[in-house]
Amino acid sequence: MYYNDIYEILRKEKYSEALKNLPKDFINEFKSFIQEKKEATLASEDLFSDSVIKSKKQLENAISIFKEITLRRKKKILELAFVATETEIMKRDFENMLSVEKEVFEKLVKSFEEEDKEISRILNGQEKKETLQKMIIFNQNIEQFIDHTGNAIGPFKSGELVNLEHSTAKIFVEDKKANFVDEN
């Protein structure tokens, strides 16, 4: 990868509403480019030579360009996630995303969908089904047991920190077999 390649990627990204296709190994190629420029500036004995000054300037500019590319792509991915949530069309520009961008896109879509469900729940007057968890520390060893939902829990050793459903944790605390961690 060369400086002109990075600049050309920015130019294409800047003047397009759609995500542009990047080399699949773009980030690693950019990393190699940066390392080469750093080595070129450090290798020279003459810190004021034209080639060293040019390398330093290209390094600074390349980093700025890379930041601008990622910023523009983040904005586009955010917009795509919004559109995908509203229209349920998720594949537009998906093939042009880097693998890390695809992960972010999927997380954003999931977050938007969860927000929509929460708003719907509130509008429909449904109570939030929240199980309050409490952190406890056991004072003694506890054998495996079945909680009120039928799940097998444990065994636990004395001194072990455990995050349990509040009503289950409260039973152990009341029986002096454990203490709440957040209470003195």
Side-chain angles (χ1 to χ4, degrees):
M1 176 174 285
Y2 298 102
Y3 179 79
N4 290 339
D5 299 329
I6 299 166
Y7 183 79
E8 186 62 21
I9 289 170
L10 173 62
R11 191 188 65 73
K12 287 178 181 177
E13 203 68 57
K14 197 176 201 177
Y15 296 109
S16 171
E17 287 186 30
L19 279 173
K20 300 311 289 178
N21 193 16
L22 295 178
K24 294 299 177 202
D25 207 19
F26 173 68
I27 296 171
N28 284 325
E29 288 179 21
F30 181 76
K31 177 184 166 189
S32 296
F33 171 80
I34 294 298
Q35 287 174 336
E36 288 173 19
K37 290 297 174 185
K38 282 181 181 178
E39 289 171 6
T41 59
L42 296 175
S44 177
E45 302 256 340
D46 183 6
L47 296 177
F48 299 106
S49 73
D50 288 341
S51 63
V52 171
I53 292 171
K54 182 180 177 182
S55 287
K56 283 182 181 179
K57 193 65 175 169
Q58 279 187 347
L59 177 63
E60 292 171 8
N61 289 343
I63 290 170
S64 294
I65 290 171
F66 182 81
K67 287 179 181 178
E68 188 171 349
I69 291 168
T70 57
L71 178 64
R72 289 182 179 279
R73 291 181 69 84
K74 285 176 185 177
K75 287 179 181 178
K76 291 177 184 181
I77 290 168
L78 185 59
E79 179 66 25
L80 287 171
F82 175 73
V83 169
T85 305
E86 296 302 313
T87 63
E88 298 183 10
I89 299 172
M90 294 185 65
K91 295 300 178 189
R92 185 176 149 233
D93 291 336
F94 198 72
E95 64 276 355
N96 289 340
M97 291 181 198
L98 300 172
S99 61
V100 294
E101 292 172 333
K102 288 178 183 178
E103 289 175 28
V104 168
F105 174 78
E106 289 169 353
K107 288 177 185 176
L108 285 170
V109 169
K110 185 177 180 182
S111 293
F112 286 144
E113 288 171 347
E114 288 173 6
E115 178 209 19
D116 289 346
K117 287 178 186 176
E118 182 66 12
I119 290 170
S120 178
R121 184 196 61 74
I122 292 168
L123 292 175
N124 291 323
Q126 298 171 343
E127 290 294 318
K128 189 171 185 176
K129 295 177 183 174
E130 185 176 312
T131 58
L132 183 61
Q133 299 282 315
K134 294 296 273 183
M135 182 69 73
I136 61 173
I137 185 166
F138 284 99
N139 300 330
Q140 59 188 11
N141 292 340
I142 302 294
E143 297 296 319
Q144 185 176 31
F145 63 95
I146 306 296
D147 70 2
H148 67 280
T149 61
N151 294 323
I153 309 275
F156 302 109
K157 294 184 178 183
S158 179
E160 188 171 351
L161 284 171
V162 180
N163 198 18
L164 293 176
E165 192 274 326
H166 182 266
S167 62
T168 305
K170 187 176 175 184
I171 293 169
F172 286 112
V173 171
E174 287 173 353
D175 289 345
K176 308 280 188 228
K177 295 179 180 178
N179 294 316
F180 289 117
V181 172
D182 58 352
E183 297 176 5
N184 293 0

